[in-house]
Amino acid sequence: MKILLINDNSIEKGGAEVSVFGTRRLLSELGHEVYFFGFGDGKLDNSLVLTHKKNKFLYFLGKFFFSYRIYKKLKRYILSINPDIIHLHNNYLYSLSVLYALKHSKFPIVHTVHDWGLLCASSWGVYRYSLKPCTLANGIATKCYFHEGCLNFGHFTVAYLRNKLRFKLEKKVMKHFLPPSTALTTDLKKFGFDPVTCLHHFIEFTNVKSAERKDDILIYVGMLSKNKGVDYLINSMPFILEEIPNVKLRIIGDGPELNNLKRLAENEKQIEFTGRIQHEKVMEEYKRANILVMPSIWSENSPFVLYEALLTSLPVVGTKRGGIPDL
């Protein structure tokens, strides 16, 4: 079969990309012709990777409205491949341009839905301040701005038309939706997406063994951003230390909240920030630790970190959000 994979990013930088490029490798090993379309500076065989416009106004116009350049190049690329199936993953950078190109291609298309972005304009799936589960919307609604200010006025204004069109186009263009969690499966069905099948992620591994755990170590692995709830984990450390005085917390990862989190933890000597480390070293961290903590405050879908931890027999403590309870 000829299979075209489409994803915003052309390099492995998150869970969605682990899924995309893991799928690409396995399909290729099975003898399929696999092609890729995306954006950025990544270079891949059998691919068309487009760079962003350097002019900020043109980039903004293409992202929130329409880019004829992207529409035209993707449409031509699809016709040159003549694929048996198109597999869409993340599509937020130029969503309307990509969807219109797919609509006019007339090839069967499936969509692995990696987060709540189709139903929630902020992608969190929860209200920004109360953190209570959101009742969601048809792509975007006035409550996204007025209720808890999940979006500022500027973002709400420019995103409204795009999100409404994207919501309708997805239903018209896609032949099947493949969310990797039961929670997102339920929400997609609630808003009329059909057919929807929960297809959990797979994980590739070789010769992985559990190890003897000698020290009291908690670890967090992932992006250091507000939605990940790492500040709650840091604030819980005094209470944890009352019960387990020798426990250490290792925070593995990088992100926009790094400096804020370091300031929050500056009086706790038993908290260590490692920064972003190579994947091989992360696997070793799983083997050393006693518990992985996933304190996410947004709706996680099906996080690969959790798969990897369980693979090494590491117990997980996680919030009851999104797809975390599935695992």
Side-chain angles (χ1 to χ4, degrees), residues 91-142:
N91 177 35
Y92 294 115
L93 288 179
Y94 304 96
S95 52
L96 296 183
S97 310
V98 170
L99 286 172
Y100 276 113
L102 295 179
K103 181 183 178 184
H104 296 148
S105 70
K106 298 181 180 180
F107 292 98
I109 309 157
V110 298
H111 186 182
T112 293
V113 187
H114 287 281
D115 59 38
W116 267 256
L118 279 179
L119 309 174
C120 172
S122 72
S123 295
W124 280 38
V126 299
Y127 291 117
R128 186 62 61 98
Y129 297 104
S130 68
L131 302 182
K132 294 179 180 179
C134 176
T135 53
L136 306 175
N138 297 325
I140 195 169
T142 54

Side-chain angles (χ1 to χ4, degrees), residues 5-22:
L5 303 178
I6 298 176
N7 187 65
D8 283 338
N9 294 310
S10 58
I11 58 173
E12 292 195 33
K13 60 180 295 184
E17 286 71 43
V18 173
S19 172
V20 172
F21 293 109

Side-chain angles (χ1 to χ4, degrees), residues 136-186:
L136 306 175
N138 297 325
I140 195 169
T142 54
K143 67 178 179 179
C144 300
Y145 169 67
F146 288 106
H147 185 67
E148 287 201 20
C150 292
L151 302 181
N152 61 43
F153 182 73
H155 190 177
F156 173 78
T157 303
V158 298
Y160 191 87
L161 179 61
R162 179 199 63 181
N163 284 29
K164 286 296 185 184
L165 284 172
R166 182 174 68 194
F167 188 87
K168 291 181 179 180
L169 280 169
E170 284 276 348
K171 290 183 177 182
K172 289 182 179 180
V173 172
M174 300 303 152
K175 296 296 183 183
H176 214 113
F177 297 91
L178 302 171
S181 72
T182 57
L184 185 52
T185 299
T186 299

Side-chain angles (χ1 to χ4, degrees), residues 183-316:
L184 185 52
T185 299
T186 299
D187 285 340
L188 287 170
K189 288 180 177 179
K190 173 183 172 183
F191 283 88
F193 289 86
D194 182 66
V196 182
T197 302
C198 179
L199 182 63
H200 287 93
H201 291 314
F202 62 86
I203 185 167
E204 300 174 86
F205 62 92
T206 54
N207 300 321
V208 178
K209 297 179 181 179
S210 59
E212 183 180 356
R213 307 176 193 279
K214 298 180 180 179
D215 302 316
D216 292 326
I217 299 176
L218 305 176
I219 61 170
Y220 166 84
V221 179
M223 177 70 74
L224 302 183
S225 51
K226 287 184 180 294
N227 57 325
K228 295 296 187 177
V230 183
D231 52 333
Y232 289 88
L233 175 56
I234 291 172
N235 285 331
S236 74
M237 275 300 286
F239 304 99
I240 297 172
L241 287 166
E242 287 180 7
E243 299 293 330
I244 315 171
N246 295 323
V247 72
K248 295 179 181 178
L249 170 61
R250 290 173 61 78
I251 297 175
I252 301 164
D254 199 356
E257 288 296 301
L258 175 61
N259 291 332
N260 290 335
L261 294 171
K262 282 185 174 181
R263 283 192 290 270
L264 186 63
E266 60 186 359
N267 294 324
E268 293 290 352
K269 296 181 180 179
Q270 286 165 258
I271 298 179
E272 180 182 357
F273 292 83
T274 70
R276 187 173 182 177
I277 60 177
Q278 293 180 340
H279 186 256
E280 292 79 8
K281 292 183 178 179
V282 174
M283 296 303 292
E284 293 302 316
E285 293 283 350
Y286 291 135
K287 294 177 184 178
R288 290 179 54 202
N290 293 88
I291 292 176
L292 171 81
V293 185
M294 185 165 284
S296 297
I297 58 177
W298 77 327
S299 292
E300 293 279 0
N301 199 357
S302 198
F304 272 93
V305 166
L306 216 162
Y307 285 82
E308 291 177 342
L310 296 176
L311 182 67
T312 59
S313 303
L314 177 62
V316 177

Side-chain angles (χ1 to χ4, degrees), residues 312-327:
T312 59
S313 303
L314 177 62
V316 177
V317 173
T319 46
K320 193 176 180 180
R321 295 287 195 194
I324 293 176
D326 283 9
L327 302 173

